[in-house]
Amino acid sequence: MKKIEAIIRPGLRDDVVSAIKKCGVGGVTIHQVQGQGAQDPPLVGQYFSRDMVICVIDDPKLDEILSAISNVACSGNKGDGKVFVTPVDDALDICTKKRGTTSI
């Protein structure tokens, strides 16, 4: 399993979630976040607002989902965002007690 954390422009949140869902992802988590890119000037107290879309997926879906996110979220301008992919060793559905990929 992989965890995808996509940091995107706020106006694209619903389009990105729709694209991810079309790939067969069952659920997502959304956070409103703020930050600065590495190339942004170090302005104290000034951050860019973004949305973070988080989902956990089966490994075979990774390339399809990354492509879907980039197709929707890329405007070709600086500041479109980043996608981070990390391994997930295990998962547990608290109510059903299902583990691993059956829990997602």
Side-chain angles (χ1 to χ4, degrees), residues 25 32 50 67 73 93 98:
V25 172
Q32 293 178 345
R50 296 287 182 263
S67 179
D93 183 303
K98 290 182 181 179

Side-chain angles (χ1 to χ4, degrees), residues 41 78 101:
K78 179 182 166 193
T101 57

Side-chain angles (χ1 to χ4, degrees), residues 1-45:
M1 292 180 292
K2 300 282 191 255
K3 178 167 77 168
I4 296 175
E5 297 171 296
I7 300 170
I8 57 167
R9 295 180 188 273
L12 298 173
R13 180 192 63 215
D14 293 339
D15 293 337
V16 168
V17 170
S18 292
I20 290 171
K21 294 241 180 205
K22 285 181 185 174
C23 295
V25 172
V28 298
T29 301
I30 308 290
H31 291 282
Q32 293 178 345
V33 297
Q34 293 183 327
Q36 285 184 346
Q39 297 176 357
D40 295 326
L43 303 172
V44 177

Side-chain angles (χ1 to χ4, degrees), residues 26-104:
V28 298
T29 301
I30 308 290
H31 291 282
Q32 293 178 345
V33 297
Q34 293 183 327
Q36 285 184 346
Q39 297 176 357
D40 295 326
L43 303 172
V44 177
Q46 293 185 357
Y47 300 99
F48 298 102
S49 293
R50 296 287 182 263
D51 284 337
M52 180 185 293
V53 179
I54 302 170
C55 60
V56 176
I57 61 159
D58 289 331
D59 289 352
K61 293 183 180 182
L62 180 62
D63 290 336
E64 178 185 9
I65 292 171
L66 291 178
S67 179
I69 293 169
S70 65
N71 286 340
V72 171
C74 178
S75 70
N77 296 316
K78 179 182 166 193
D80 279 342
K82 298 276 191 251
V83 179
F84 300 100
V85 179
T86 54
V88 174
D89 294 330
D90 201 1
L92 169 71
D93 183 303
I94 293 171
C95 185
T96 66
K97 309 295 189 257
K98 290 182 181 179
R99 292 185 67 171
T101 57
T102 60
S103 70
I104 60 171

